[in-house]
């Protein structure tokens, strides 16, 4: 397809939109969708996502990017182009609970996730059947805290071999080392349950039940060194009441996790997410 | 304040964003927020809302608009500037049910609706006390279908005297004539209950109850000749169940009407709504 | 399992709860969950669902029901017992769109739908692969309005052969004859899209898009002769905006259809639904 | 009115419902609504709320309660009767932010809160005008941590003088002493903002903004010694995105606080809440 996206982040100042749109106009690029956001029109940070259409993107790509460099320099931009014809490669990591994996595979099968899924990695065997039935290579890499380095070395090799663009932790219940995370900055998407108030630590559903919460939630975020504290991509909740025991709450929570993670992954594939400090701008 | 908004609608074609942003840049206008939408990048309709900041808007206003004319012509634009310092004047029409009126007055009092409310018009006396207690003139104009023309003549005179920008029908239970509506095209906002499926005609809540609906909704829309069929601005629903009788459903419906109408009015005040054919683009 | 449910509907009058709970107490049945509803404590209709636990239900079943007859007579009850150990048999009818079928099969596979699915019937071949891959017999019965009687004769034979308790129309796009519907009174669950306002007839999503609706909904209901007008079991909506074209709206609509139908089917399996006139009581 | 409610909590065992419904039947009481919940039918805790109608409640009251004592003893019940004709007296405590107070007064004025509001107490003067304009006595009691005991002594005296049944903290920004809380066990309802994840401490909206949360919530709960950790009555959330700054988030949060607190207060007035350990059962 002849669609591409340009993502920009720079200090806000007059003339940015004018310069970028003039540039696109001169390269016969048709703007399909454009979103922008500024933290403060005076001295703030400026963010922009433009989706555009242009003929022969494959051959024009290099010239397009080269010609953009002076503009990027002028406004001190962080920027990247992304081309729809270059389908993103996404690895899925999973443990025993398969609800999030299933949801992603389902969406992928029905054509709603335009990604390649070159492999699934797991520290358990539960997911093998469903993954292989779809013709996706499944790698079983047992893991525990004592062999973390070796495990991650194998994983990194696979990510490299398959030229993976980003990783989805679809309920992968192993802690990643700071080295692993650093090597994949803002390229690891995680999902976890969330509550009001938070129940940090073990058995959160039982504690939520004991406290009588009326809402069960899920949060999808990029992984940073600070466990479960990375930039939030998407959140949602579902209503529960006293009749729901901790087992019911868990099922309800899984259902929200499915949809929240699927939305986050779609936005990632559509280049809709810009990370700024510890938050996301989702266009 | 030094804020203004520019709303544009024209056939989509390359160069629009470039021309408009260049123009703003040259007039030292800082873009605060910009939204655009195209029905189709090839031969579709293009819509844009830009909120910008510029010094001395009061004195620069005329020059600003004049200099925009050539651009507007070039792209065959429908367009309008709107200035935040020119607070919009909004008339409220109400009958006996006061829940929507109360919500608007509340939001206005607490500073969340930046509008002037120069008058409230009603065909009943119920609202007088609450309206006058806030120092707003209240006009009681009895109405029925036999004196519709005379009633509307009085109303139109008041709208003119008070230089009203738009009208909110906060549960005003009189049909407006095509002449009245034509004179206020896309300047009358209405609110009414909505159901899945629709229950057209009398006693909708009783029929919704008899059918056992699980959702009660409300729709806010611009008034056109086609009764309750004008462009939809906002909708929302609330969950009900078999325990809710038609009286309960009515209360729940009123609560949604309150919030749906308040959102629609806010968007109108913020110049966020563009009407296109029989639908709205809400930026 | 030793769980059972008792569903009751009768004219409201004093002493019902007392008589029923005394009866259960004397049969060593432990009430797990009890819900009741009356349209009016004076001269209204009374509805009740009791879930109870008792040992040896399989052998006690007959005595239990026999001893209930005098109470049922005294209060002029409609009533039925339902036993958890007798797993319900559910047939799924589907056409080309598989999203609702997939959701049901998924929930069934993951153990959240405690039903038997002895067969899937379709007037197209699209669903064969997914159905047979799960070991469920798939019956392809081409259909059109000219051969409706013959088609339904085949279907009825299959329903009889497999001793089906109820039918789920998971986007089955054929009209059923009054005879077929009459033979399965309140035993056919359908799902269809719903809008505020309703768009009856062809191409509803395109018309919803043209009207600029802000909500897309789905309704699950029992099928009656009055097409799409049977008692509503469940409804839900999702928010859309002007950026969603009719294709997007359709996808969003399908996602709501999935979850609304799955909830309706679960409630049916749990004997939570009582039909009264043209509405449901969902306990 | 001739309505009353009976609330029961006891160890679950066979025969409770039977005994209670037989007792009501013999006293010519008509059950209007009945809800029950058991944590576990074997050895769990049983909770029940029955709303019933009976003639001459005022004169029959004493006999009714006396005759219930043997049943209560037999099943080791916590229990209480509540009579609709005895309108509950509710005190509102407020500080500078008036949104929750306004919501409660609005609902009260429009007849949706069937309570008496004999007084409003505040440590600031902001609320005086709105409170006195409705004819409700307003008590200004300045407060700070050094004079907490004296302040609470005055408050307790007022609560006693006005025979207050329960207190609503409608954004009352003072910490209550353990003595005060102990004297009003499960009779103080509080409202506060809630986030996923939680942001404990100062400036929560700014920190929520910095973390880029996508949901803003509110929680209403009974006050216990453990600050903001009492049994949750109701929660809700609203969606936000990166465009909402901390000021916007605060406004959105206030809007949820309004509706969550109003629901919690209504349930309290309808005797729908039973506290068990650190959670609520809301019937």
């Amino acid at each position: 397809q002849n669609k591409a996206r340009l993502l920009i982040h720079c200090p806000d100042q007059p003339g940015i939109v004018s310069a970028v749109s003039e540039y696109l106009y001169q390269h016969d690029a048709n703007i399909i969708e454009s979103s922008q956001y500024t933290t403060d029109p005076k001295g703030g940070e400026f963010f922009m996502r433009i989706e555009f259409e242009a003929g022969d993107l494959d051959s024009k790509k290099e010239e397009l990017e080269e010609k953009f460099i002076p503009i990027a320099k002028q406004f001190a931009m962080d920027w990247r182009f992304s081309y729809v014809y270059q389908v993103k490669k996404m690895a899925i990591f999973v443990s025993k609970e398969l609800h999030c994996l299933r949801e992603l595979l389902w969406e992928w099968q029905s054509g709603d996730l335009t990604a390649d899924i070159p492999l699934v990695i797991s520290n358990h065997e539960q997911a093998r059947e469903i993954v292989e039935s779809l013709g996706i290579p499944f790698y079983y890499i047992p893991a525990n805290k004592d062999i973390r380095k070796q495990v991650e070395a194998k994983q990194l090799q696979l990510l490299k071999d398959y030229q993976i663009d980003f990783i989805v932790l679809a309920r992968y219940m192993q802690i990643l080392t700071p080295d692993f995370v650093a090597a994949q900055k803002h390229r690891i998407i995680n999902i976890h349950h969330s509550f009001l108030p938070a129940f940090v630590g073990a058995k959160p559903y039982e504690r939520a039940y004991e406290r009588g919460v009326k809402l069960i939630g899920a949060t999808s975020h990029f992984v940073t060194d600070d466990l479960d504290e990375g930039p939030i991509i998407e959140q949602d909740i579902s209503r529960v009441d006293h009749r729901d025991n901790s087992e019911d709450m868990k099922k309800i929570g899984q259902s929200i996790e499915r949809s929240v993670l699927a939305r986050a992954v779609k936005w990632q594939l559509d280049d809709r997410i810009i990370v700024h400090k510890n938050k996301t701008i989702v266009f």
Side-chain angles (χ1 to χ4, degrees), chain A:
Chain A
Q1 285 189 346
N2 281 323
K3 279 190 196 171
R5 293 146 195 162
L6 171 56
L7 276 83
I8 291 167
H9 168 209
C10 63
D12 199 2
Q13 57 187 288
I16 304 170
V17 179
S18 174
V20 173
S21 49
E22 177 65 19
Y23 152 87
L24 287 171
Y25 179 49
Q26 284 175 358
H27 287 81
D28 291 326
N30 234 341
I31 297 175
I32 298 168
E33 190 183 326
S34 168
S35 310
Q36 61 183 77
Y37 167 67
T38 179
T39 57
D40 185 347
K42 288 190 182 106
E45 305 280 327
F46 177 85
F47 303 88
M48 191 171 202
R49 176 190 183 271
I50 296 183
E51 187 161 306
F52 61 91
E53 208 169 48
D56 276 333
L57 271 178
D58 199 4
S59 56
K60 263 162 84 172
K61 188 174 167 314
E62 275 177 45
E63 193 205 329
L64 207 64
E65 300 197 10
E66 206 178 282
K67 292 280 170 63
F68 190 69
I69 291 171
I71 298 172
K73 274 194 181 146
Q74 182 190 345
F75 293 99
M77 289 175 178
D78 280 338
W79 58 284
R80 65 184 163 93
F81 282 86
S82 167
Y83 304 91
V84 170
Y85 75 86
Q86 292 178 331
V87 178
K88 287 189 183 60
K89 291 180 204 303
M90 154 177 130
I92 303 177
F93 283 35
V94 68
S95 292
K96 289 186 199 171
E97 291 187 4
L98 305 186
H99 57 283
C100 286
L101 174 71
R102 273 171 187 274
E103 181 76 17
L104 293 175
L105 294 178
W106 162 314
E107 297 270 357
W108 176 73
Q109 239 191 322
S110 63
D112 289 337
L113 280 193
T114 45
D116 283 342
I117 307 180
L119 81 163
V120 171
I121 293 174
S122 181
N123 56 331
H124 292 279
E125 285 282 11
Q126 274 84 342
R128 182 183 292 277
E129 194 185 325
I130 181 172
V131 170
E132 294 188 339
S133 78
L134 294 167
I136 300 171
F138 175 85
Y139 289 89
Y140 168 52
I141 307 178
N144 64 57
K145 67 182 187 335
D146 300 327
I147 55 169
R148 201 154 276 162
K149 284 281 169 199
Q150 299 94 300
V151 167
E152 289 188 352
K154 282 185 211 168
Q155 291 170 341
L156 284 166
Q157 189 58 47
L158 285 167
L159 297 176
K160 207 178 151 193
D161 292 348
Y162 284 99
Q163 298 177 284
I164 293 304
D165 291 303
F166 70 101
I167 300 165
V168 180
L169 305 182
R171 306 294 294 157
Y172 181 66
M173 308 309 282
Q174 289 286 318
I175 290 170
L176 304 173
T177 67
D179 285 355
F180 189 93
V181 171
Q184 321 284 339
K185 200 183 173 189
H186 300 158
R187 291 192 300 170
I188 310 176
I189 294 177
N190 190 27
I191 180 75
H192 66 80
H193 49 68
S194 300
F195 302 93
L196 304 155
F199 298 98
V200 182
K203 303 199 173 178
Y205 286 103
E206 290 186 23
R207 289 162 63 214
Y209 169 73
E210 276 159 21
R211 184 71 198 286
V213 299
K214 309 302 180 193
L215 304 175
I216 291 284
T219 296
S220 181
H221 63 98
F222 285 114
V223 175
T224 58
D225 275 3
D226 212 347
L227 186 68
D228 291 347
E229 293 288 320
I232 294 169
I233 303 170
E234 172 62 333
Q235 304 185 292
D236 210 345
I237 58 99
S238 194
R239 191 159 272 273
V240 294
D241 70 23
H242 61 265
R243 280 178 295 259
D244 299 301
N245 60 30
S246 58
E247 198 53 41
D248 299 328
M249 286 188 178
K250 200 175 169 183
K251 281 203 176 175
I252 291 165
Q254 289 180 342
S255 167
I256 318 165
E257 286 172 9
R258 276 165 58 178
S259 55
V260 166
L261 180 61
R263 285 204 291 275
V265 170
K266 258 180 228 177
W267 295 340
Q268 170 79 348
L269 291 170
D270 288 352
D271 302 295
R272 295 197 171 277
I273 313 171
I274 299 180
V275 178
H276 172 55
K277 291 181 184 166
N278 203 32
K279 66 188 288 186
T280 64
I281 287 90
V282 180
F283 281 126

